[in-house]
């Protein structure tokens, strides 16, 4: 098939990682894939079989419509797959003009990504990475017949990573939204050091708040007397690291990839303080993109209790069994094949 992926930016984040992994896998399966988006660091990891078209989305949605229409004609595109609010709107209008069907993946909140009526009306399918995001949408009844839940896929790679004992990892954009949680994690480190000795917190990512996080880390490290908090910045290929934190705090793709590596995982974001991932709650987390939808917001005390609880009992957890389940359920090869089936149904007019 000839597939056009449309995304606003192609740098660092959940949607960007999704598009890079999916497009590279689709290309490896023999499909012709073109990506339209603003050039970013994901380009370095993209398969050389994928065509990338650099677009300046800040010119507005209407300009993007004409770019999409031109690419649809130039590459004889069979299906458009759009991600994020403005690309979904632009792709929907382009679909009206060209007759080429559009599929939209919802990575965030429905009320934002599908704010426009056109974005809700035109796409042939809506792919949700979280069952809960779909269930709580005010547009659920309108979208139900055209909606499917397909989780994030990950690349299944190589032997298990070597895990760094008594270490914690956090990976995300380091912007204002995430800086509060990172700051709470940093504040907990001295308490963990007092109980367990040389604890390490590795922070990976980039964003506007990284320098403020570096300053906070330097102050805490100075007080403790060693570099307990390491701000690693942006890492292009996490899977290439030969060592990895033993315990990872995160949701969505971060949680999935960490669990596949055999790490302990505590699903936490700025709004929800989850519990340690186990075989007993595995399906609950799968249904909700590894977010504890029933939990309260994190606090330093809750974070300390969860992290300390893990390290006190670190030998008893069967992380290897969870890693095997992740490999079965989230292999990008299978996820890509499922999405291709949606593309085919869309092109055949089967909704």
């Amino acid at each position: 098939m000839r597939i056009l992926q449309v995304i606003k930016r192609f740098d660092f984040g959940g949607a960007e990682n999704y598009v890079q992994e999916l497009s590279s896998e689709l290309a490896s399966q023999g499909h012709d894939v073109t990506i339209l988006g603003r050039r970013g660091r994901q380009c370095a990891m993209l398969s050389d079989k994928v065509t990338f078209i650099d677009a300046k989305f800040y010119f507005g949605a209407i300009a993007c419509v004409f770019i999409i229409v031109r690419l649809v004609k130039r590459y004889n595109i069979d299906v458009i797959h759009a991600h994020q609010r403005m690309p979904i709107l632009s792709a929907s209008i382009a679909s009206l003009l060209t007759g080429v069907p559009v599929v939209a993946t919802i990575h965030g909140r429905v009320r934002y990504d599908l704010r426009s009526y056109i974005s809700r009306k035109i796409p042939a399918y809506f792919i949700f990475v979280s069952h809960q995001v779909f269930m709580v949408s005010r547009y659920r009844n309108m979208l139900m017949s055209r909606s499917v839940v397909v989780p994030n896929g990950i690349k299944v790679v190589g032997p298990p990573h070597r895990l760094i004992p008594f270490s914690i990892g956090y990976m995300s954009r380091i912007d204002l939204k995430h800086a509060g949680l990172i700051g709470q994690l940093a504040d907990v480190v001295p308490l963990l050091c007092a109980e367990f000795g040389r604890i390490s917190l590795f922070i990976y990512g980039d964003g506007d708040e990284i320098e403020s996080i570096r300053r906070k880390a330097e102050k805490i490290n100075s007080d403790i007397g060693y570099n307990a908090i390491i701000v690693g910045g942006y890492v292009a290929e996490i899977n290439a690291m030969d060592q990895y934190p033993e315990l990872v705090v995160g949701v969505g793709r971060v949680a999935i990839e960490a669990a596949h590596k055999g790490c302990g995982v505590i699903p936490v974001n700025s709004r929800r303080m989850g519990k340690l991932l186990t075989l007993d709650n595995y399906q609950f987390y799968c249904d909700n993109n590894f977010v504890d939808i029933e939990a309260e917001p994190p606090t330093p005390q809750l974070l300390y209790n969860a992290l300390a609880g893990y390290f006190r009992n670190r030998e008893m957890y069967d992380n290897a069994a969870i890693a095997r389940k992740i490999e079965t359920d989230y292999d990008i090869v299978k996820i890509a094949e499922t999405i291709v089936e949606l593309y085919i149904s869309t092109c055949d007019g089967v909704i």
Side-chain angles (χ1 to χ4, degrees):
M1 296 189 73
R2 294 174 294 274
I3 304 154
L4 174 63
Q5 302 278 351
V6 187
I7 188 167
K8 182 176 181 179
R9 55 185 177 269
F10 204 50
D11 199 57
F12 178 71
E16 293 88 336
N17 291 348
Y18 176 103
V19 172
Q20 185 273 124
E21 292 276 10
L22 175 61
S23 297
S24 295
E25 178 56 34
L26 289 170
S28 74
Q29 293 183 13
H31 301 284
D32 292 330
V33 184
T34 302
I35 299 176
L36 174 65
R38 190 184 302 171
R39 183 172 294 278
R41 286 171 286 193
Q42 291 289 341
C43 292
M45 294 175 283
L46 191 62
S47 167
D48 57 11
K49 298 178 181 178
V50 177
T51 300
F52 184 84
I53 307 295
D54 191 8
K56 306 299 183 183
F57 274 89
Y58 51 79
F59 284 132
I62 299 303
C64 294
V65 170
F66 290 108
I67 296 172
I68 294 170
V69 168
R70 188 172 71 237
L71 291 176
V72 164
K73 294 178 178 179
R74 176 181 177 184
Y75 292 101
N76 197 21
I77 296 296
D78 295 314
V79 63
I80 307 166
H81 191 164
H83 312 261
Q84 301 168 332
R85 181 180 64 86
M86 193 162 64
I88 293 173
L89 174 59
S90 300
S92 296
I93 298 172
S95 177
L96 279 174
L97 296 175
T98 63
V100 173
V102 61
V103 172
T105 291
I106 312 304
H107 299 275
R109 290 174 292 180
V110 178
R111 65 184 180 185
Y112 180 77
D113 282 359
L114 302 181
R115 188 164 64 187
S116 167
Y117 176 78
I118 294 174
S119 298
R120 302 191 295 271
K121 178 67 175 176
I122 300 304
Y125 277 113
F126 298 94
I127 298 173
F128 289 83
V129 297
S130 166
H131 177 75
Q132 178 67 10
V133 170
F134 169 64
M135 291 302 296
V136 301
S137 167
R138 70 177 71 175
Y139 306 118
R140 184 179 62 179
N141 291 337
M142 177 183 182
L143 306 180
M144 184 172 295
S145 64
R146 294 175 287 150
S147 296
V148 294
V149 177
V150 181
N152 285 298
I154 63 167
K155 190 185 300 181
V156 174
V157 293
H161 291 65
R162 288 188 297 148
L163 302 183
I164 305 169
F166 291 98
S167 65
I168 305 158
Y170 183 86
M171 304 90 178
S172 77
R173 282 199 191 97
I174 305 182
D175 53 17
L176 194 59
K177 175 183 175 182
H178 297 92
L181 176 57
I182 298 172
Q184 290 184 44
L185 281 168
D187 288 336
V188 167
V189 168
L191 300 175
L192 294 171
C193 289
E195 180 171 355
F196 299 102
R198 295 181 71 88
I199 289 284
S200 297
L201 169 62
F202 294 89
I203 300 168
Y204 299 110
D206 198 3
D208 294 340
E209 296 296 312
I210 190 167
E211 290 308 317
S212 67
I213 296 300
R214 287 190 195 278
R215 289 192 295 270
K216 186 178 185 72
E218 289 170 1
K219 172 64 167 59
I220 292 174
N221 289 342
S222 177
D223 292 342
I224 294 176
Y226 76 99
N227 289 334
I229 304 174
I230 299 95
V231 182
Y234 174 75
V235 177
E237 185 53 79
I238 290 287
N239 285 328
M241 296 168 53
D242 61 350
Q243 295 188 83
Y244 211 77
E246 173 185 356
L247 176 62
V248 170
V249 175
V251 298
R253 176 180 293 273
V254 168
I256 295 166
E257 291 183 336
H260 175 246
K261 293 176 176 66
C263 307
V265 175
I266 302 178
V268 181
N269 62 15
S270 59
R271 300 175 61 202
R272 304 291 183 186
M273 177 69 220
K275 297 178 182 177
L276 181 73
L277 174 63
T278 65
L279 290 172
D280 290 337
N281 60 27
Y282 174 82
Q283 192 57 53
F284 169 80
Y285 279 122
C286 288
D287 291 342
N288 298 294
N289 197 28
F290 290 79
V291 177
D292 189 340
I293 59 172
E294 301 171 353
E296 57 191 295
T299 65
Q301 186 61 56
L302 290 174
L303 286 167
Y304 173 77
N305 292 343
L307 296 168
Y310 176 85
F311 287 123
R312 290 179 193 134
N313 302 282
R314 57 194 291 270
E315 302 295 339
M316 65 177 285
Y317 299 116
D318 192 358
N319 295 336
I322 296 175
R324 289 192 294 271
K325 290 183 70 66
I326 291 285
E327 184 164 332
T328 299
D329 296 339
Y330 291 90
D331 186 349
I332 188 61
V333 175
K334 297 178 182 177
I335 298 300
E337 290 170 349
T338 299
I339 291 177
V340 168
E341 291 176 4
L342 293 178
Y343 294 159
I344 293 171
S345 295
T346 298
C347 294
D348 290 342
V350 180
I351 306 297

